[in-house]
Amino acid sequence: MRVVILGPPGAGKGTQTELLSKGLGVPKLNMGDILREAVKKKTPLGEKAQRYMKEGKLVPDELILKLLEEEIEKVAEDAGFVLEGFPRNLRQAQILNDFLESRGKNLDWVIYLKVEEEEIVNRLRHRLICSECGKVYRKGEVKQGRICEECGSQLVKRRDDNPRTVKERIKVYFEHTFPLVKYYQKKGILKEVEGKGKEEEVYERIRKALNLPGP
Ligand code: AMP
């Protein structure tokens, strides 16, 4: 199964991508993680992408496509994938479509994680991520010492989770990414899922929406 997870920043896309890729037994591709890794390694593409990310803007399509090319080539041959953070505008959606079509493949479902704006801002204000593995922690989930329970590394605030950048990211989301909801609705492959609540509850909704067998 080939699935895209769509939704505003802070909707829980990363967590649900992780759960769904495990549930389906297919690899995941998280564009934000790929970009953050490139920035951390100070690759030429990472250096270029960094300034857009810092400002909460979309990284230009040309850079994104270069980064994605190799990764998606790897997973496209497999039985499926869960893709997060891509596509983020109509052009990217068209490119993904053409890429899959040229390989005789198609997207099966797009999960739209719906979360109110007020809730998003609140989540982003409080969330921390692991500096090594990227696992996301919401308010109330962080244990004393701010250490990741998966890999033991330090939890940190994402650089772009500051109020000014968050505001810009939400604006960019509504302007460029939200139109994809209609785009995929028209194609008949959109599943809208309520993103409120605990991660297990949200995953349960996704599982049901995709008719996947229970745990
Ligand atoms: P995320 O982790 O998905 O919130 O992404 C963090 C940042 O990476 C975004 O605010 C953008 O600056 C950049 N980014 C991630 N995915 C894309 C994409 N598909 N196109 C352009 N920029 C992206």
Side-chain angles (χ1 to χ4, degrees):
M1 201 183 274
R2 292 179 195 87
V3 185
V4 162
I5 308 266
L6 195 69
K13 299 187 297 296
T15 309
Q16 296 305 326
T17 297
E18 184 78 42
L19 293 172
L20 188 57
S21 88
K22 276 189 192 143
L24 290 171
V26 298
K28 66 173 171 128
L29 255 188
N30 177 330
M31 199 61 224
D33 281 351
I34 295 172
L35 280 163
R36 277 184 288 279
E37 194 58 27
V39 170
K40 204 161 147 189
K41 285 191 180 145
K42 294 189 175 6
T43 66
L45 280 173
E47 303 259 287
K48 280 189 195 145
Q50 190 175 23
R51 70 187 163 103
Y52 297 95
M53 295 169 76
K54 251 204 256 170
E55 288 177 10
K57 306 237 187 281
L58 288 186
V59 174
D61 289 344
E62 284 59 37
L63 294 184
I64 293 292
L65 294 177
K66 271 199 194 122
L67 272 170
L68 192 70
E69 218 169 337
E70 241 179 64
E71 305 285 337
I72 200 160
E73 203 66 64
K74 278 187 238 159
V75 297
E77 298 311 319
D78 289 325
F81 56 70
V82 183
L83 194 53
E84 189 223 321
F86 187 92
R88 230 154 162 131
N89 59 31
L90 286 167
R91 181 164 174 236
Q92 292 183 2
Q94 195 58 56
I95 288 166
L96 178 63
N97 198 44
D98 295 349
F99 174 87
L100 290 172
E101 230 170 49
S102 68
R103 284 157 180 80
K105 290 171 178 160
N106 61 291
L107 263 187
D108 293 291
W109 296 112
V110 174
I111 303 285
Y112 166 42
L113 278 182
K114 198 165 167 247
V115 183
E116 298 301 324
E117 193 171 335
E118 200 182 324
E119 166 90 10
I120 297 167
V121 174
N122 198 31
R123 283 191 192 177
L124 294 178
R125 184 179 301 148
H126 296 289
R127 80 172 175 187
L128 293 176
I129 64 161
C130 173
S131 53
E132 280 308 312
C133 72
K135 184 172 161 62
V136 179
Y137 290 81
R138 285 194 206 167
K139 188 183 179 184
E141 291 175 347
V142 179
K143 305 258 161 62
Q144 243 189 353
R146 289 190 167 191
I147 295 295
C148 176
E149 59 192 25
E150 297 281 327
C151 72
S153 305
Q154 194 68 42
L155 303 186
V156 293
K157 202 161 176 58
R158 248 172 71 165
R159 275 176 152 199
D160 55 356
D161 276 351
N162 64 75
R164 197 170 55 89
T165 315
V166 163
K167 208 170 158 203
E168 181 64 21
R169 283 162 63 205
I170 292 173
K171 186 173 152 250
V172 165
Y173 168 76
F174 280 111
E175 214 172 295
H176 298 279
T177 312
F178 187 67
L180 294 180
V181 170
K182 265 227 173 88
Y183 173 86
Y184 285 121
Q185 220 160 26
K186 272 195 194 148
K187 283 182 177 276
I189 57 169
L190 190 90
K191 296 270 186 192
E192 186 173 310
V193 170
E194 175 59 55
K196 232 197 299 193
K198 293 199 185 110
E199 58 186 53
E200 311 81 61
E201 292 165 353
V202 178
Y203 182 63
E204 194 53 22
R205 287 177 207 136
I206 294 180
R207 199 181 62 68
K208 283 192 180 139
L210 297 183
N211 272 327
L212 301 177

